[in-house]
Amino acid sequence: MNKINTAWIIDDDKILTYVLQRIMGTVDSFANIEIFPNGKEAINQLAVARKNPESLPDIILLDLNMPVMDGWQFLDEFEKINLDKKISLYIVSSSIDTHDHNKAKKYKTVADFLIKPIGKKQIEQMVESHQP
Amino acid sequence: MLPTIGIWELNLKTGLLEWDFVTKSIYEIKDNYFPDLDSAINFYAVPKYRERITTLTQNLITTGDSFVERFEILTPKGNTKWVESSAQADFENGECVLIYGTFQDITTHQTLLETVQLNEEKFQKAFEFAPIGMALVSTAGNWIKVNEQLCKITGYSEEELMGLTFQDLTHPNDLDKDLALVNQMLSKEIDNYEMQKRYFHKKGYIVWVHLTVSLVWNNEGEPLYFISQLNDITERKKASEELQREQQRLFQTIEGTNIGTWEWHIQENVIIYNERWAGIVGYTLEELKPISKQIWNDLVHPDDLEMSNIALEKCFSRQTEYYECEYRMKHKNGDWVWVNDKGKVIDWSFDGKPILMLGTHADITHRKNSEQELKNTLDLVSEQNKRLINFTHITSHNLRSHIGNFQMLLNLLLEETDELKKKELTEFLLTIANDLQETIHYLNEVLQIQTNLNQQVKKINLFNEIEKILVSISGLIIESSAIIHTDVPLNTYINYSPEYIESVLLNLLTNAIKYRHPDRNPVIYIRTQDSEKYIILQIEDNGIGIDLNLHGQKLFGMYKTFHTNKDARGLGLFIIKNQIEAMGGKIEVESEVDKGTTFKVYIKNQ
């Protein structure tokens, strides 16, 4: 099984982040998990981390509906930043609106759109398909 | 004046012929010329007259029969003259001794006579062959003389007409008028008259004639006969009646369709309207006098004038064949009337300028209002539909996120063996259950707003309402040292749901204080502004502001928060937006980060 050095969860839902952390913990592939309550804080951290590519995440789980800077706005900023590392970005949302799904396809950095709730199985597949 | 009658005598004893100077001047010979019988006869150049004068003279000498006759003579100067010569004889013992007489130049008289004769012939011919009917009619009405054309007009022969009077032929309805005019002429009130009248043709049908009559008087001042001229105008009359009927039909059609008409002489800028044209805008033509194009300009809605002028220009430059435009006109009662205006240039000058344009006005207010109502209904329904779709998405999203959490937590709980961690998970479950409860509560509240569009509205004094809210949040105001300026007229009344206006004011005012700038005390201005459709309530703060580029689109969405404020729930603006829209208004926002925010609430004006 692949080893994932760092995963970021960008979501304001504290219960969800708690649950995700617990699930990812059971998968046993994640060395390091960081939580950001909104897109803005994640972008700020990216700006710092890009100077040291080692500290950049391998996987990002991104919620869409958040205060301050939402998932879409985060994606707009994310695509502007040139990074030396391949990052697998997953949207994790409870939206089943086709409009959102179609919009997500326009972002080439988005690996997949996962609909909440997600379980251990999806996390394992995510780890499986990660190509460092 | 020279005497015009000359004297001559012939003494038969001496054979001496004597002419006085007048006679000589008629013959155009000198005084010292002494005529004799032989030379005198030579003046009668035409053999007919020479023989005649010879015979008469011989007869006079032998029988004494005097004579007076006219002859043609030729003077030595070559002039032909007419003369009247008279002659008598004196006898002695049964023998003629002297003949004498008078000699008169009647050339002028003779020419005149010939002219009269000629004229009479000419008149005769003119009468007979005139292209119009002519007749001499006795004062009693009998036809004395009729021409060919009159026979044709009436269908009777000359002989038949002679046995009839003009009264016999005249249509009874025209007889009195005709006779009255005849009497006026007989009493010398008028010299002549003209009238249009009907005759009966021999075959029984009516012939229309234009009649001109004059009266001939004799020297004693007695009326002799009428000269009547008759022009057959039956065809013309028919055509004119047809035209009149046509006009009548057209008039009735226009009346029936209830359209106004206009006729514009463009170069002279003269315009003619019908009564209905004025009626559409509530006037009579009389009231609009003096009629000019300016009347139209004054009545058309100022916003629509340009559109109409553009359409006219297109027609004048022949880009379009017909001019058509729908615009508003001011009715006398102050309302706006919708008019469908159509027209066409029907006459152009040689250099392509429009000369005459005809057009119609139709009142389409009713149709326009129906269209507007339909459009309003459609807009309302579309808007409702849009909001319901939006609501469905919100509902789906919010319920799904809670339920997703439920499922994930329950999965963890099932696998969890540690009692302490189990307790932690159970507490989470409880939190989610509460959140779900709350979400359903708010969704229900929004659903109420969405579906209950006919919320009970009351007349509310806006100033009093603001004061009431400020009192209810006075704790927050004092705590934050906020300064509130209220610049709302005391008599501002709105028709609104009391519940909604309270919610709107409470939300916006507490937001204005809640999102205050850390470096300064909050200063809030509450103002109103009147527009045609709305009273605009403005609430301006000097708070931290919102980055509208980032958040503008979703500012009023559900569960949208833009600050990391702990109290922010992302519900207030969503709910008041729904409430404001349910009241037929809208909400707008202007904001600058670090400067402040202004919310504008549009409240429908009654």
Side-chain angles (χ1 to χ4, degrees):
Chain A
M1 182 157 283
N2 284 327
K3 271 285 171 190
I4 307 295
N5 193 27
T6 305
W8 285 10
I9 303 172
I10 309 173
D11 199 322
D12 64 324
D13 186 339
K14 290 189 179 66
I15 290 171
L16 184 99
T17 50
Y18 169 82
V19 174
L20 272 180
Q21 262 182 300
R22 288 282 306 270
I23 297 170
M24 286 157 90
T26 59
V27 170
D28 203 25
S29 297
F30 296 91
N32 189 18
I33 299 169
E34 287 179 48
I35 314 283
F36 299 89
N38 64 61
K40 186 73 188 164
E41 289 191 18
I43 284 290
N44 289 345
Q45 188 52 39
L46 269 180
V48 176
R50 63 183 289 216
K51 290 165 192 159
N52 178 15
E54 280 300 302
S55 66
L56 284 169
D58 304 288
I59 288 176
I60 294 178
L61 302 181
L62 177 69
D63 186 23
L64 288 177
N65 197 9
M66 289 177 290
V68 187
M69 177 187 274
D70 70 12
W72 301 117
Q73 288 164 342
F74 173 83
L75 282 171
D76 289 334
E77 295 299 315
F78 183 71
E79 296 216 327
K80 282 186 212 159
I81 302 172
N82 225 343
L83 296 170
D84 293 337
K85 190 172 180 180
K86 162 95 174 101
I87 298 174
S88 304
L89 190 149
Y90 293 87
I91 290 176
V92 181
S93 167
S94 42
S95 172
I96 50 167
D97 187 346
T98 48
H99 174 77
D100 284 341
H101 288 251
N102 289 333
K103 189 175 174 184
K105 284 177 189 157
K106 288 179 186 157
Y107 291 93
K108 57 181 188 296
T109 50
V110 174
D112 202 357
F113 195 121
L114 302 177
I115 298 167
K116 293 176 192 174
I118 57 171
K120 198 173 174 179
K121 212 172 157 189
Q122 278 118 316
I123 299 291
E124 282 169 354
Q125 279 170 359
M126 209 182 280
V127 174
E128 198 64 39
S129 59
H130 180 67
Q131 306 278 322
Chain B
M1 163 121 197
L2 289 170
T4 54
I5 298 177
I7 294 165
W8 61 271
E9 69 173 47
L10 174 64
N11 190 325
L12 291 168
K13 286 180 188 166
T14 60
L16 198 66
L17 178 62
E18 280 190 63
W19 290 350
D20 73 347
F21 79 94
V22 176
T23 305
K24 284 182 179 172
S25 73
I26 291 170
Y27 279 119
E28 295 181 344
I29 50 171
K30 289 174 183 153
D31 273 351
N32 57 5
Y33 177 89
F34 295 100
D36 57 37
L37 215 49
D38 292 337
S39 60
I41 203 79
N42 286 332
F43 286 99
Y44 296 81
V46 180
K48 181 171 85 175
Y49 295 119
R50 188 189 300 185
E51 282 160 23
R52 180 69 180 158
I53 190 76
T54 309
T55 312
L56 284 172
T57 308
Q58 279 168 0
N59 194 39
L60 174 68
I61 292 166
T62 48
T63 65
D65 288 346
S66 61
F67 66 87
V68 180
E69 279 217 25
R70 292 171 176 187
F71 306 97
E72 195 187 275
I73 59 163
L74 181 69
T75 67
K77 287 183 179 171
N79 295 320
T80 303
K81 289 185 174 180
W82 276 92
V83 294
E84 187 174 87
S85 185
S86 71
Q88 288 183 13
D90 280 358
F91 282 81
E92 274 177 20
N93 307 320
E95 191 182 342
C96 183
V97 290
L98 184 73
I99 57 170
Y100 59 93
T102 58
F103 197 70
Q104 191 181 355
D105 185 346
I106 58 155
T107 311
T108 321
H109 182 76
Q110 185 68 22
T111 316
L112 204 61
L113 204 67
E114 280 173 6
T115 310
V116 169
Q117 270 175 349
L118 199 68
N119 280 354
E120 234 171 50
E121 267 173 51
K122 275 187 187 164
F123 173 75
Q124 193 73 22
K125 279 184 186 163
F127 185 90
E128 195 53 47
F129 302 109
I132 59 169
M134 288 185 81
L136 304 184
V137 181
S138 79
T139 49
N142 295 94
W143 305 97
I144 302 169
K145 190 171 171 60
V146 295
N147 73 350
E148 179 86 24
Q149 190 60 28
L150 182 66
C151 294
K152 267 192 195 165
I153 292 171
T154 59
Y156 292 98
S157 71
E158 194 175 337
E159 291 74 32
E160 287 170 326
L161 278 174
M162 291 303 154
L164 295 164
T165 63
F166 91 83
Q167 289 93 327
D168 294 334
L169 267 63
T170 300
H171 190 285
N173 290 0
D174 295 336
L175 192 57
D176 286 349
K177 189 185 172 195
D178 201 350
L179 289 174
L181 288 163
V182 164
N183 287 332
Q184 274 185 290
M185 210 159 51
L186 287 170
S187 60
K188 299 200 173 177
E189 283 170 53
I190 51 171
D191 291 335
N192 52 55
Y193 69 85
E194 287 180 37
M195 70 178 288
Q196 291 190 357
K197 62 178 283 190
R198 286 159 286 184
Y199 282 114
F200 285 114
H201 190 271
K202 189 183 175 183
K203 288 180 179 165
Y205 57 82
I206 284 168
V207 181
W208 273 95
V209 298
H210 180 90
L211 175 69
T212 309
V213 182
S214 54
L215 182 53
V216 179
W217 304 82
N218 70 7
N219 289 342
E220 281 73 41
E222 290 159 346
L224 287 179
Y225 51 85
F226 299 105
I227 301 174
S228 300
Q229 290 174 300
L230 297 89
N231 228 335
D232 186 346
I233 56 164
T234 311
E235 286 305 310
R236 203 203 304 170
K237 198 83 183 170
K238 268 188 199 163
S240 123
E241 275 171 5
E242 185 56 40
L243 198 68
Q244 250 181 345
R245 274 198 294 275
E246 191 66 37
Q247 269 179 341
Q248 187 69 19
R249 272 200 293 273
L250 191 65
F251 183 74
Q252 281 165 346
T253 308
I254 289 169
E255 285 279 289
T257 51
N258 217 12
I259 54 173
T261 61
W262 51 267
E263 176 183 332
W264 185 17
H265 300 262
I266 295 145
Q267 301 307 321
E268 299 89 7
N269 203 16
V270 170
I271 201 151
I272 301 164
Y273 303 124
N274 73 348
E275 200 55 58
R276 175 60 191 155
W277 189 95
I280 289 173
V281 282
Y283 295 92
T284 63
L285 279 178
E286 190 62 33
E287 286 175 298
L288 291 176
K289 275 183 180 172
I291 302 293
S292 71
K293 173 104 185 329
Q294 191 57 38
I295 291 174
W296 178 83
N297 287 48
D298 292 345
L299 289 172
V300 174
H301 195 291
D303 296 348
D304 299 345
L305 205 53
E306 196 189 338
M307 172 183 60
S308 162
N309 283 334
I310 289 169
L312 265 179
E313 267 314 311
K314 277 191 178 165
C315 195
F316 287 172
S317 60
R318 299 203 180 196
Q319 289 174 57
T320 54
E321 192 180 355
Y322 294 95
Y323 154 78
E324 182 165 4
C325 197
E326 288 182 356
Y327 51 75
R328 290 159 290 175
M329 288 181 84
K330 189 122 189 160
H331 192 276
K332 194 181 175 185
N333 67 13
D335 289 345
W336 290 107
V337 177
W338 273 99
V339 168
N340 174 268
D341 191 5
K342 280 184 191 176
K344 191 184 183 203
V345 176
I346 58 155
D347 196 9
W348 299 88
S349 70
F350 67 92
D351 56 347
K353 286 197 186 104
I355 292 178
L356 180 63
M357 192 168 182
L358 298 183
T360 59
H361 269 195
D363 185 344
I364 54 162
T365 312
H366 190 69
R367 194 192 89 199
K368 277 281 175 184
N369 286 345
S370 307
E371 275 175 13
Q372 192 56 46
E373 270 172 40
L374 201 65
K375 192 178 172 295
N376 289 348
T377 311
L378 196 68
D379 285 351
L380 188 73
V381 171
S382 314
E383 183 60 26
Q384 261 181 320
N385 199 33
K386 215 168 80 186
R387 280 196 267 164
L388 285 173
I389 289 171
N390 192 33
F391 182 74
T392 314
H393 283 149
I394 291 163
T395 311
S396 156
H397 184 268
N398 286 292
L399 295 182
R400 283 185 62 82
S401 55
H402 290 307
I403 290 164
N405 284 350
F406 255 131
Q407 285 178 318
M408 291 195 292
L409 276 171
L410 285 170
N411 282 337
L412 282 178
L413 193 62
L414 285 174
E415 288 169 19
E416 190 58 65
T417 47
D418 183 343
E419 282 304 315
L420 217 66
K421 282 190 173 169
K422 268 188 178 176
K423 194 167 181 290
E424 194 182 35
L425 288 171
T426 314
E427 274 166 15
F428 273 134
L429 281 173
L430 206 62
T431 311
I432 296 167
N434 285 338
D435 284 355
L436 189 59
Q437 178 83 28
E438 195 189 56
T439 299
I440 289 167
H441 169 78
Y442 280 112
L443 287 175
N444 198 46
E445 189 175 325
V446 173
L447 191 64
Q448 290 273 316
I449 300 166
Q450 304 274 15
T451 52
N452 188 15
L453 290 177
N454 297 320
Q455 177 78 19
Q456 201 64 36
V457 295
K458 283 184 179 153
K459 192 172 182 181
I460 293 164
N461 183 305
L462 189 58
F463 180 85
N464 290 346
E465 193 63 28
I466 292 167
E467 288 298 300
K468 200 177 88 187
I469 301 297
L470 289 177
V471 168
S472 76
I473 60 166
S474 54
L476 186 62
I477 295 171
I478 293 163
E479 183 199 327
S480 62
S481 308
I483 299 162
I484 319 264
H485 298 279
T486 310
D487 184 15
V488 175
L490 293 172
N491 60 348
T492 308
Y493 285 93
I494 57 170
N495 286 328
Y496 228 76
S497 152
E499 189 192 328
Y500 290 179
I501 192 66
E502 192 184 319
S503 156
V504 168
L505 287 168
L506 197 60
N507 262 287
L508 292 178
L509 288 170
T510 51
N511 275 355
I513 297 172
K514 221 189 277 176
Y515 300 105
R516 60 182 173 267
H517 201 279
D519 300 345
R520 54 187 177 246
N521 288 336
V523 179
I524 299 160
Y525 288 92
I526 308 169
R527 302 188 181 93
T528 53
Q529 190 187 326
D530 275 352
S531 77
E532 198 191 330
K533 278 183 168 170
Y534 301 102
I535 293 172
I536 305 162
L537 172 69
Q538 293 188 32
I539 295 174
E540 179 189 332
D541 67 46
N542 62 340
I544 52 177
I546 305 161
D547 186 343
L548 292 177
N549 288 331
L550 278 181
H551 308 300
Q553 287 180 331
K554 48 188 194 179
L555 187 56
F556 298 101
M558 195 179 193
Y559 291 117
K560 303 287 182 185
T561 51
F562 311 102
H563 304 101
T564 43
N565 192 315
K566 280 188 105 182
D567 295 341
R569 302 205 48 86
L571 274 169
L573 288 180
F574 174 69
I575 287 182
I576 68 165
K577 180 177 190 273
N578 279 285
Q579 289 171 332
I580 290 165
E581 287 176 353
M583 288 287 109
K586 56 181 176 178
I587 182 163
E588 286 176 357
V589 63
E590 289 165 12
S591 187
E592 209 176 319
V593 173
D594 276 345
K595 291 269 169 66
T597 305
T598 304
F599 282 97
K600 290 182 178 180
V601 179
Y602 289 72
I603 299 166
K604 228 163 89 178
N605 227 336
Q606 48 271 25

